[in-house]
Amino acid sequence: MRVLTVRSPAEELSQGLHSATVCADSRFPWGTTDTPVAGRAAALERTRQRLTTEQTWPYDAATATGLGSLLVCLDWPREPVPPAPPAHRKLPKVPVLLLGGDRDLATPYEVLYEQAELAHDPKIVIVPGAAHSVQNRAANPAGRQAVYDFLLK
């Protein structure tokens, strides 16, 4: 199996900005960044104990709850989460392609369905066997093909 890799210099990725975005935009076993920091570790541990093999396959519960984004946001300072835009403020009426891999622990494909609710014309493509970065790292070409088809329709 050949896996495509993309390398970028450190100057092109701000870890602080990335962490701030992930922590502000995500929901975690403890809730959001509005959840007091003191109770987050216990909530994460309760989740780890409840996860089944079927829920985490092909990984285990420790892997699923030991992701870098979870660990960074575990101690991220408490801050209010801005409210979601009202229903009448959906995205413009343009087609939207949402790509995900069925093995992506960083952005589970359930998030695609949540985001699709904000779009007028969503198309969801879940790439079998792919993790994160389905366009440039997945061995399965379905993500790249979906982009090609979407842009040329």
Side-chain angles (χ1 to χ4, degrees):
M1 172 172 80
R2 181 171 176 257
V3 177
L4 301 174
T5 60
V6 177
R7 295 178 188 215
S8 300
E11 296 81 23
E12 291 184 18
L13 175 63
S14 165
Q15 288 297 330
L17 178 59
H18 180 260
S19 296
T21 302
V22 169
C23 295
D25 289 351
S26 301
R27 287 181 304 189
F28 302 96
W30 57 82
T32 65
T33 54
D34 195 28
T35 302
V37 175
R40 293 178 188 177
L44 182 59
E45 177 57 23
R46 284 190 302 275
T47 297
R48 187 192 65 74
Q49 291 176 5
R50 286 193 309 258
L51 287 171
T52 66
T53 303
E54 292 79 26
Q55 290 172 309
T56 60
W57 186 91
Y59 308 102
D60 60 15
T63 301
T65 57
L67 297 173
S69 57
L70 284 172
L71 300 180
V72 166
C73 298
L74 189 64
D75 294 317
W76 195 259
R78 185 177 183 188
E79 58 187 349
V81 176
H88 72 282
R89 298 282 314 253
K90 283 190 170 188
L91 295 170
K93 292 187 179 190
V94 296
V96 174
L97 176 63
L98 299 159
L99 293 174
D102 69 350
R103 303 287 185 263
D104 189 348
L105 288 176
T107 311
Y109 62 83
E110 292 85 358
V111 173
L112 301 178
Y113 292 102
E114 293 171 9
Q115 294 303 308
E117 292 177 16
L118 301 173
H120 291 279
D121 187 12
K123 176 176 174 72
I124 296 173
V125 175
I126 299 171
V127 180
H132 206 61
S133 303
V134 297
Q135 291 182 68
N136 62 351
R137 292 186 181 156
N140 184 331
R144 292 181 290 282
Q145 187 64 50
V147 171
Y148 181 82
D149 294 344
F150 180 79
L151 293 174
L152 293 179
K153 78 173 187 178

